[in-house]
């Protein structure tokens, strides 16, 4: 395979990032973050989760966020084309609430690990797929696009090693149900490049590379190396999080997603287009880190701000 010419970035900081913040984050801060992300040229921003507020309190304002976006309150002032604002919907309740807010793209999220599935969404892998089926069916009927996630593709906090065949099986089911893309999550950031490449090769026997995305966390500092390995296999969609925000509430010790600024710097260095303005994104990363009172998790963001 060869490196792609263009990569689509799916910015997950406002969801995957903020869902794990221990300090409360106001709805207006979230909307400001989302607006700034769109302004930097990101065409796909995951904005909220329609999950139980008891499970993930930080996402409890999903309705307010999505209604505000629908009504244009956080509309980008400079973005060239409309940004897609997607949300997580684990079940019909989540989907119905999201549809009421005018959401046009949702994601279902499964796992390659039985234990993680139980801890994260309170059901087995098989039960989760059964729950997703009507969600998919209803979403597709109403013209809403559905993305699929598989968690723990390179390791699980409860089970350790996960066989690539397990990942491939869940990815195949999600695609068969109608997900337009399946995002492969190294939820706890334990992967290394050759492992990532082998896992992808196995999944790619079931799902075309053009329908796969890499969603890597950076707990062990391997995320960029892992991305390089899967880019070489032809992956052209990368999930990342501004300032490396995040972690996972059901994966103790997991750090944030790979920082979007770091991914952009890598891609720019390889001559791969993204359509995103790195300098603008670095300013947003600096702003949200200061606002949350946390260190900026992007090395590139830190370097750019220091030289500003
Ligand atoms: P459950 O307890 O099995 O569900 O939870 P239930 O149907 O029995 O309902 C229990 C209560 O939740 C009820 O409320 C429902 O109304 C409510 P009560 O009567 O007790 O007051 N409820 C909901 N409320 C709002 N929205 C909903 C909803 N559904 C039920 N959609 C459930 C099952 C899936 C709801 C729960 O386990 C949950 O919300 N889990 C969320 C987990 C989550 O958000 N995890 C983080 C995202 S995954 C991730 O980060 C990984 C990823 O980034 C990829 C990677 O990194 O690898 C995607
Ligand atoms: Mg994640």
């Amino acid at each position: 395979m060869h490196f792609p010419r263009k990569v689509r970035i799916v910015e997950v900081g406002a969801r995957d990032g903020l869902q794990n913040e221990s300090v409360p984050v106001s709805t207006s801060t979230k909307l400001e973050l989302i607006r700034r992300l769109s302004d930097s040229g990101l065409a796909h921003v995951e904005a909220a989760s329609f999950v139980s507020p008891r499970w993930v309190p930080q996402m409890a304002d999903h309705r307010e966020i999505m209604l505000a976006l629908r009504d244009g309150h956080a509309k980008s002032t400079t973005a060239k084309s409309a940004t897609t604002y997607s949300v997580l919907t684990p079940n019909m309740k989540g989907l119905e609430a999201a549809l009421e807010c005018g959401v046009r793209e949702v994601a279902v999220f499964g796992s390659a690990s039985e234990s993680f599935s139980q801890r994260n969404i309170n059901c087995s892998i098989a039960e989760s797929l059964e729950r997703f089926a009507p969600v998919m069916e209803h979403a597709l009927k109403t013209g809403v696009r559905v993305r699929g996630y598989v968690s723990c593709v390179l390791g699980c906090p409860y089970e350790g090693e996960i066989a690539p065949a397990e990942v491939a099986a869940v990815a195949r089911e999600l695609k068969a149900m109608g997900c337009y893309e399946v995002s492969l999550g190294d939820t706890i950031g334990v992967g290394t490049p050759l492992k990532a490449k082998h896992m992808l090769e196995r999944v790619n026997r079931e799902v075309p590379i053009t329908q796969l995305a890499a969603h890597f966390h950076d707990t062990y500092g391997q995320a960029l190396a892992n991305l390089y390995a899967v880019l070489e296999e032809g992956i052209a969609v990368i999930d990342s999080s501004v300032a490396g925000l995040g972690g996972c509430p059901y994966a103790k010790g997991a750090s944030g997603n790979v920082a979007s600024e770091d991914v952009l710097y890598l891609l720019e260095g390889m001559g791969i287009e993204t359509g995103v303005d790195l300098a603008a994104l670095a300013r947003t990363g600096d702003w949200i880190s200061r606002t949350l009172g946390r260190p900026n998790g992007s090395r590139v963001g830190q370097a750019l701000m220091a030289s500003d």
Side-chain angles (χ1 to χ4, degrees), residues 39-42 261 264 268 274-284:
D39 273 351
S40 70
L42 287 155
E261 301 90 315
L264 286 182
E268 281 187 10
T274 61
V276 184
D277 178 345
L278 173 55
L281 195 61
R283 288 193 293 277
T284 297

Side-chain angles (χ1 to χ4, degrees), residues 64-86:
E64 289 83 348
I65 297 278
M66 297 318 290
L67 286 174
L69 292 175
R70 183 195 67 185
D71 298 342
H73 288 322
K75 213 176 192 126
S76 165
T77 46
T78 58
K80 289 187 197 78
S81 55
T83 308
T84 296
Y85 298 112
S86 59

